[in-house]
Amino acid sequence: MLRFPLVRDLTVNRARWSALLDLFLRIERNKSLLGEMMRREVRERTAGQALGWIWIVAQPVLTTAAYILVFGVLFRSASDVGGGRQIAFLLAGLLPWVAASDLLGRATFAITGSAGFVKQIVFPVELLVLRFAGPLAITLGVSLAFYVGYLMWVGHGPKWMWFALPIAIFGYLCLIVGLGLAIAAVSVFVRDIRDITNLYLTVGLFFSPILYDISYVPSAMRWIIFINPITPVVLAFQDVFFYGAFAHPWAWVFAGVWGLLSLELGFGLFRLLRPLMSDAL
């Protein structure tokens, strides 16, 4: 169901700074509250479970181990040169995608599921989305740590390109959080955004260079891969863990640009729609 506000009711935030700087200032101002919300989000996901906090580490480890078993052993292609190269390529893009899917999926109900907070004028509503960044970082960090351990076990590391990983992660986090803010804001007025997001999370995997090398995509169809915002980030992760060099230098530039632009536009849209959310819920 579509619920568009009247244009004349739209109040534009006239803050002198950019949305990106405004977001950083709000995070700094509410860092204690954000930290507590992140911790509570993690606790709620394990509440009532017998193993409790163990699942925070066990789930990404077991998931990554399952990927290694299925794709690295059972589905190993005849062209694989051995030593885990196939799974090294696959997980370089798949692990960031899986972690991002959780945040983007939860962003669709981050605002609509917390109407009580939204109706409080003084509450920093953007924290309802930013709180998911904590579990995202934990899932990605644990998964990558287990993945790196696997690479070293099969003789694929360490490499000097691993020092570039923080740059790739920074662009990745900016991109996903920015998209999450935009999705959360729009979902208040366009309830179909949940179905659209779920469709993207289902189909987008096949339209990003995760399951295949981008060089195998026909030139006439590569634009489909390039318009997927996560493509540059995936290629950056592959450069770090698989190629061991800046094989896609343009991807690093776009990963940073898209990441910062995603935060700027995502929070800009969120800030624009914030005054109308209370009436729409």
Side-chain angles (χ1 to χ4, degrees):
M1 181 179 66
L2 302 180
R3 301 181 63 181
F4 291 108
L6 295 176
V7 175
R8 60 181 175 83
D9 291 334
L10 197 58
T11 303
V12 178
N13 189 308
R14 299 184 179 276
R16 288 177 294 178
W17 48 71
S18 70
L20 182 59
L21 179 57
D22 188 15
L23 177 62
F24 289 152
L25 291 175
R26 295 190 188 195
I27 291 176
E28 173 62 25
R29 187 165 56 247
N30 300 287
K31 59 184 178 182
S32 298
L33 176 58
L34 177 59
E36 178 57 33
M37 293 183 67
M38 285 183 176
R39 289 189 290 270
R40 181 173 298 181
E41 177 66 23
V42 173
R43 288 197 299 267
E44 288 180 351
R45 296 191 186 192
T46 59
Q49 297 179 346
L51 297 181
W53 282 81
I54 296 178
W55 280 115
I56 299 298
V57 175
Q59 184 171 354
V61 166
L62 293 176
T63 302
T64 305
Y67 289 146
I68 292 174
L69 174 64
V70 173
F71 295 104
V73 179
L74 302 181
F75 289 169
R76 177 175 293 174
S77 65
S79 61
D80 188 19
V81 297
R85 280 184 58 83
Q86 178 178 341
I87 195 63
F89 175 85
L90 179 66
L91 291 190
L94 186 59
L95 294 182
W97 174 267
V98 171
S101 298
D102 180 72
L103 186 147
L104 297 180
R106 292 177 184 275
T108 59
F109 56 84
I111 306 300
T112 56
S114 303
F117 288 106
V118 178
K119 295 182 183 297
Q120 298 180 25
I121 300 177
V122 297
F123 184 79
V125 180
E126 61 274 3
L127 299 189
L128 294 174
V129 181
L130 296 178
R131 60 177 171 158
F132 298 137
L136 167 66
I138 293 175
T139 300
L140 181 65
V142 173
S143 299
L144 289 180
F146 187 80
Y147 172 50
V148 167
Y150 169 78
L151 291 180
M152 297 180 67
W153 181 55
V154 296
H156 285 292
K159 301 178 181 179
W160 69 270
M161 272 297 291
W162 288 8
F163 291 104
L165 179 60
I167 302 176
I169 292 179
F170 175 78
Y172 166 81
L173 291 177
C174 289
L175 174 69
I176 302 306
V177 172
L179 291 176
L181 286 167
I183 290 172
V186 176
S187 65
V188 177
F189 309 97
V190 185
R191 299 303 170 88
D192 305 72
I193 199 68
R194 180 175 302 181
D195 298 311
I196 295 173
T197 301
N198 290 335
L199 178 62
Y200 169 71
L201 295 177
T202 302
V203 179
L205 174 65
F206 302 101
F207 290 96
S208 56
I210 295 177
L211 304 178
Y212 49 83
D213 192 296
I214 195 171
S215 62
Y216 290 103
V217 180
S219 300
M221 298 181 59
R222 286 189 184 179
W223 66 271
I224 302 177
I225 309 300
F226 291 149
I227 62 175
N228 190 339
I230 204 171
T231 291
V233 172
V234 168
L235 294 176
F237 273 87
Q238 289 175 353
D239 284 357
V240 171
F241 292 113
F242 182 75
Y243 294 105
F246 290 104
H248 307 92
W250 61 269
W252 289 82
V253 176
F254 279 98
V257 171
W258 287 164
L260 294 177
L261 191 61
S262 173
L263 270 184
E264 172 71 28
L265 298 180
F267 185 62
L269 179 61
F270 190 97
R271 189 173 61 174
L272 185 70
L273 297 177
R274 171 62 181 98
L276 304 169
M277 292 179 181
S278 298
D279 294 333
L281 291 174

